[in-house]
Amino acid sequence: MLVVDEGEPTAPAIVFLHGIPGSVDWFAAVAERMVANFRVIRVDMRELGADGDFSTAARTAPILALMNDWDLTDVTMVGHSFGAEIALELAAASRRVGRVVVVGQAPDYRAASIPAAARWVVRPWSVRLAQRWTPGPVIRLANRSVFAPRFRYDSAPGLAEALVRDFRTALPAGLAYAVGARAADFAAAPLDIRARALDQPVLAVHGRHDNLYDSTETLARFAAAGAETHLVEHAGHSPQVEQPDEFVSVLGEFITGTR
C-alpha cells in the first residue's frame, strides 16, 4: 500500500482517503496547503479489494495497521467519495481516530444519480476493456459532469493527466462494486446512521453542483444525524480539488474546534 507521509511527524495527523477511481493526487492541493501545520498522510486506496474482498475488515485492516505501527493518535480521518465510508468504518473500529470528515458522499444511493442499468453494464471485464481502449480526451470529457460547470481542469495542476491515469489504473472490481453491491451495503447501513453511532465528531462537506449525489438531501441527513455540515457553493463532486482554499479553511476550523 503506497502512503505519502509529509510534514512534521509530531504534528497533528490527518489521513486522506481518495475515492474510486482516484489516487493520492486528489488531495495534493490540500496537502500542499496543510503540510506546514499538520502531518499529512495520503493513502493510495487502489489496491484495497484487489482480491475481490470489499468487506469492512478487508478495507480497513491495512490502514488500522498503519495507525498502530506509526502510533498515530487523535487522527483526523478524511474520506472522499468511496473513501468516506472507509473513514467512518475506521472511526468505528479504532479510538486512534479523533474525528471524521465525509467529502462528496451521500449516506446511501437514495439521492444518487447512478443509472440502474449501470450495475449490469459495469462489470470487471467491461471496465478492463474501457480502461485499455478509451482515448484520454474521451475520459476527460466524460468526467466534465463530475465538476462544477465553470471549473477548468487547468486550474488544478496535473488534474487532466490524473483523470486519465487514475481511470486506467483503477481496480476494475472496485468500479463494479461502486455501481453494484455498494448500493445494497448502503441500504443495510446508511452512512448517516453510522455517523450517528460514533463518539467522534463528524463533518460532512459537499459541493453544490455535485451531479452524483444531491447536496441538499445529503447534508440534511448528515445534519439530522448530528454531524456538522458545510456546503461548497462553487464545487461539484470533489470540493477539495475544485476549491482547495475553502476546503482547507473549513477543515482547519473543524480540527481546531473553531467552527
Side-chain angles (χ1 to χ4, degrees):
M1 182 176 67
L2 171 68
V3 178
V4 179
D5 182 14
E6 301 170 295
E8 174 58 47
T10 59
I14 310 174
V15 174
F16 292 104
L17 310 175
H18 63 78
I20 298 179
S23 68
V24 295
D25 292 330
W26 288 75
F27 282 104
V30 171
E32 179 182 354
R33 288 161 170 79
M34 304 196 79
V35 72
N37 298 309
F38 296 91
R39 182 178 185 180
V40 178
I41 301 168
R42 290 179 282 158
V43 179
D44 191 318
M45 310 278 286
R46 286 176 291 183
E47 292 304 314
L48 294 185
D51 58 357
D53 185 356
F54 286 93
S55 66
T56 297
R59 294 186 297 193
T60 58
I63 305 170
L64 289 170
L66 175 74
M67 291 194 294
N68 290 333
D69 291 345
W70 290 3
D71 195 24
L72 301 178
T73 58
D74 197 31
V75 174
T76 300
M77 193 66 62
V78 182
H80 173 229
S81 197
F82 174 74
E85 65 193 90
I86 299 179
L88 289 167
E89 290 167 351
L90 288 163
S94 176
R95 296 304 303 172
R96 292 183 181 275
V97 179
R99 62 201 60 79
V100 180
V101 183
V102 173
V103 185
Q105 179 59 61
D108 51 35
Y109 280 7
R110 280 171 23 194
S113 299
I114 300 174
R119 66 177 304 176
W120 307 110
V121 175
V122 182
R123 300 296 180 91
W125 65 267
S126 63
V127 171
R128 283 191 288 270
L129 287 175
Q131 289 174 316
R132 181 173 182 179
W133 297 110
T134 306
V138 174
I139 294 172
R140 287 188 284 269
L141 180 62
N143 277 278
R144 276 301 315 154
S145 63
V146 177
F147 300 95
R150 294 176 182 167
F151 176 73
R152 303 189 319 275
Y153 286 159
D154 59 8
S155 68
L159 177 61
E161 294 76 16
L163 284 169
V164 177
R165 181 189 63 247
D166 294 345
F167 174 71
R168 296 203 194 284
T169 59
L171 188 67
L175 288 169
Y177 169 77
V179 301
R182 190 176 186 229
D185 289 347
F186 276 1
L191 297 193
D192 54 339
I193 303 302
R194 302 189 206 184
R196 184 189 296 276
L198 294 178
D199 294 328
Q200 302 96 320
V202 176
L203 168 66
V205 180
H206 215 90
R208 169 77 73 184
H209 301 283
D210 189 339
N211 290 317
L212 291 178
Y213 306 106
D214 181 84
S215 60
T216 300
E217 180 176 341
T218 293
L219 294 184
R221 288 181 60 183
F222 276 115
E228 297 184 42
T229 63
H230 181 81
L231 179 66
V232 182
E233 286 287 349
H234 303 292
H237 184 58
S238 304
Q240 81 280 12
V241 174
E242 299 170 73
Q243 299 294 336
D245 290 327
E246 180 176 348
F247 184 87
V248 166
S249 177
V250 171
L251 178 56
E253 291 173 357
F254 176 62
I255 294 172
T256 58
T258 57
R259 275 181 58 82

